[in-house]
Amino acid sequence: APVRAGRRDAAMAFCAFAAAAFWGWHPLRVEAVAWVASRKDLLCTPLYVLGLLLSLRAGESGRGRWAKAAVPAVFVLALLAKPTAVSFPFMALAAAWIQRGRIRTEGLALLLGLAAAGCVMAYWGQDQGGALSDLPDVTLFQRAVNAVAAIGAYVRQTVVPVGMGVPYCFLWPVNRLDLVLGAIVAALAA
């Protein structure tokens, strides 16, 4: 049994390495290294992962007191790097549940408060920068369709890395292939 477990662990490690290598070397991820404007990804990702590791460490009984204090600070740094880090409290809960089979809500209120503050600051910043100026002209239906198509565009570019320059403006009508791929991903996720 120990030999079989060792092989399984080695296979899992190889699969994790292969997935990380594919993700890191894929042309879709090159923008984070090549463009100065995308350095936020390179800063946010390690902070996000460090925060998850610290939150798991903080959940260990009798250990990780320093980690409990560091989790909110690292989360704030990740938020400052990139607003998409607002998902951190939910990922920390999911990671704790996967690792320990239970969820500890200690410190969750603080993390959710920081996430809410991050959302407000991101919205305010986008509004001040003029990025929200045309939102009243876009219907809720168009926004939902655009979001599904954006997911499809990322899936398409992962499989066929052509046309990698993703415009971040609102495009209507959306690419039908991207809309179909996004709908498939949404259906699989549901």
Side-chain angles (χ1 to χ4, degrees):
V3 172
R4 188 179 288 167
R7 286 184 183 158
R8 185 183 64 212
D9 290 345
M12 289 174 56
F14 175 77
C15 289
F17 174 78
F22 175 77
W23 185 85
W25 290 324
H26 193 276
L28 195 58
R29 301 298 342 144
V30 169
E31 71 175 321
V33 178
W35 297 352
V36 172
S38 292
R39 296 291 164 99
K40 60 188 176 207
D41 295 335
L42 292 178
L43 186 57
C44 179
T45 302
L47 290 168
Y48 196 98
V49 172
L50 176 63
L52 287 176
L53 293 173
L54 288 172
S55 70
L56 291 174
R57 173 86 177 191
E60 295 175 4
S61 59
R63 298 171 63 184
R65 291 184 192 184
W66 59 272
K68 287 180 185 177
V71 169
V74 172
F75 174 46
V76 166
L77 292 174
L79 265 177
L80 290 171
K82 190 171 182 182
T84 55
V86 295
S87 63
F88 177 81
F90 304 104
M91 290 301 294
L93 284 176
W97 181 72
I98 289 169
Q99 185 184 40
R100 294 187 286 275
R102 60 186 163 80
I103 295 175
R104 293 181 61 176
T105 58
E106 182 182 343
L108 180 62
L110 174 62
L111 294 177
L112 289 174
L114 291 171
C119 288
V120 169
M121 289 188 323
Y123 184 86
W124 180 80
Q126 293 289 320
D127 188 42
Q128 294 300 309
L132 303 179
S133 60
D134 64 345
L135 274 183
D137 300 332
V138 181
T139 66
L140 184 60
F141 173 75
Q142 287 175 318
R143 291 182 217 174
V145 169
N146 192 52
V148 171
I151 293 168
Y154 278 110
V155 169
R156 177 180 48 80
Q157 291 173 346
T158 299
V159 177
V160 181
V162 176
M164 302 296 284
V166 179
Y168 290 103
C169 57
F170 179 77
L171 298 175
W172 192 263
V174 297
N175 181 315
R176 289 184 182 154
L177 175 61
D178 293 344
L179 185 59
V180 169
L181 289 173
I184 291 170
V185 170
L188 291 174

